[in-house]
Amino acid sequence: MKTDKIQTKKTNPAIAKGEIQDLLLQIGFAPHMRGYEYIILGTELIMENPQKMHHITKEIYPEIARHFQVTTCAAFLISGDSNNLTETKNTNESL
């Protein structure tokens, strides 16, 4: 799916955040996990401007780092957490 075809609509940020949280819980990414709030903000940023999906490391990570007052490297931890989640989910499904 091409991101330029994604239709975005103006929504209440609290509703969007709630929907993102629900989806994260459904895939097994709980609030206590490192990077949880980073992923929520990153998703919100992409929902606001889908073209940013093509520039994760140059736009999304720096914005997350500024928002949470951490280094860009700390924001980059998101990718490691999501990879761990995928590996854990795949392992659990094969049991």
Side-chain angles (χ1 to χ4, degrees):
M1 178 191 325
K2 294 181 87 177
T3 57
D4 52 330
K5 296 200 180 224
I6 294 174
Q7 297 293 319
T8 58
K9 58 183 178 178
K10 299 275 183 187
T11 59
N12 180 332
I15 293 171
K17 185 173 183 174
E19 290 173 353
I20 295 165
Q21 290 170 327
D22 289 344
L23 287 171
L24 289 174
L25 285 173
Q26 287 177 22
I27 63 169
F29 203 76
H32 69 275
M33 297 175 84
R34 183 180 66 192
Y36 180 82
E37 290 294 326
Y38 295 174
I39 290 175
I40 291 173
L41 179 58
T43 304
E44 289 172 334
L45 293 170
I46 291 170
M47 288 174 68
E48 289 172 9
N49 182 356
Q51 291 301 314
K52 288 185 177 187
M53 188 179 300
H54 299 293
H55 308 283
I56 301 270
T57 57
K58 293 194 184 234
E59 292 187 34
I60 299 296
Y61 290 166
E63 286 187 52
I64 292 169
R66 276 191 296 279
H67 180 83
F68 290 101
Q69 299 179 344
V70 296
T71 65
T72 303
C73 293
F76 183 70
L77 292 172
I78 296 168
S79 62
D81 287 337
S82 59
N83 288 338
N84 290 339
L85 177 65
T86 303
E87 289 171 14
T88 302
K89 186 171 181 155
N90 290 339
T91 301
N92 290 340
E93 286 175 355
S94 65
L95 295 176

